[in-house]
Amino acid sequence: MSYQKRTAALASVAALAGSAVFMAAPAARADVVDVNYKCQTPIGVKTAVSPIDIKGVKSGSGYQLTMSWQKGVSSSPVELGKGAMTPSATIKLGGADSGTVAVSGPANQAAIPANTPIKINDLTGTYTPKASGKVTFTAAVLTIKALGTTTTCTPTNSPGPSLTLDVTAAGGSSGSSGSTGTTGTTGSTSSGTGTDSSGTLPKTGPDDSVIALGTLGGTVLLAGAAGTLWLTRRSQTARARR
């Protein structure tokens, strides 16, 4: 293989490696999780299983959470007219943060026939991080209020998280694509700390890897061009001497 071809091959490897760094960047993880609910209703205990999805979208210093049910839960022995049922729920936090987030939604927009699984509308709420790191969001207690009664549904199967976000507490900086953010760190100027002339600590992480790989590719290309120029001049000198 000629020197120029080897140069091109190395530059391609560097470019591919740079792409791999971007592809390997962490992303938010969202799963649809089956939740087994045990509901304490005015007419006794009822059970139901519903797949639940939780999404998070960056909003100011927090996240707008949306909790969705793919199947109905519990039921009523009588028809629930339009606007007769109001749902709310809690989402349990885990990982770097703890506690719960309250979510709520509108009353039913259409009548719910008797003895029919109650479809829960999407519930929303705001989560503001109190700690930085990976935080999990898991379906917790669902509450249904209808016709002056309250039904409480509790998960019995220890469901796994429906969403995982990489967050930064207030005072830090983070971004999210719906869910995962990246953070940057800076420091003040001081001697012996490895800061540059602007007083900013050297960055570390995937971006530096990309820059390094790009520099490698550029260096290899320059070396290839220099080698070609040297070979050309050497050939011209040889012909002149003849």
Side-chain angles (χ1 to χ4, degrees):
M1 182 184 291
S2 67
Y3 189 84
Q4 286 179 307
K5 289 182 178 180
R6 288 199 300 271
T7 298
L10 286 172
S12 297
V13 170
L16 289 172
S19 299
V21 170
F22 282 114
M23 292 174 66
R29 177 180 176 181
D31 296 307
V32 177
V33 177
D34 286 341
V35 178
N36 295 352
Y37 279 112
K38 179 179 180 181
C39 301
Q40 297 289 345
T41 79
I43 59 172
V45 176
K46 292 184 177 293
T47 60
V49 178
S50 178
I52 290 181
D53 174 38
I54 299 175
K55 292 183 175 66
V57 178
K58 193 74 172 69
S59 177
S61 60
Y63 292 82
Q64 181 76 17
L65 301 181
T66 301
M67 188 177 189
S68 303
W69 278 259
Q70 295 188 5
K71 291 184 180 180
V73 298
S74 189
S75 63
S76 171
V78 297
E79 178 179 285
L80 298 178
K82 179 180 178 180
M85 183 274 296
T86 304
S88 62
T90 56
I91 298 173
K92 182 180 178 181
L93 304 176
D97 209 345
S98 60
T100 60
V101 178
V103 290
S104 60
N108 58 307
Q109 299 172 341
I112 301 173
N115 302 311
T116 300
I118 297 173
K119 177 66 173 69
I120 305 299
N121 291 324
D122 287 355
L123 306 183
T124 60
T126 301
Y127 164 64
T128 302
K130 300 187 297 296
S132 300
K134 291 188 181 299
V135 178
T136 60
F137 299 80
T138 304
V141 178
L142 166 66
T143 301
I144 300 172
K145 293 186 177 181
L147 304 178
T149 66
T150 299
T151 293
T152 303
C153 299
T154 305
T156 60
N157 61 328
S158 300
S162 294
L163 175 68
T164 300
L165 292 177
D166 192 355
V167 306
T168 300
S173 62
S174 69
S176 173
S177 64
S179 310
T180 288
T182 57
T183 61
T185 305
T186 58
S188 59
T189 304
S190 63
S191 60
T193 60
T195 56
D196 59 22
S197 58
S198 66
T200 301
L201 291 172
K203 293 181 179 180
T204 61
D207 289 344
D208 292 329
S209 300
V210 175
I211 293 172
L213 288 169
T215 303
L216 170 62
T219 302
V220 171
L221 289 174
L222 288 174
T228 301
L229 180 61
W230 180 78
L231 289 173
T232 302
R233 288 182 175 176
R234 181 180 180 187
S235 176
Q236 291 175 345
T237 301
R239 285 197 298 272
R241 288 179 179 175
R242 292 176 187 171

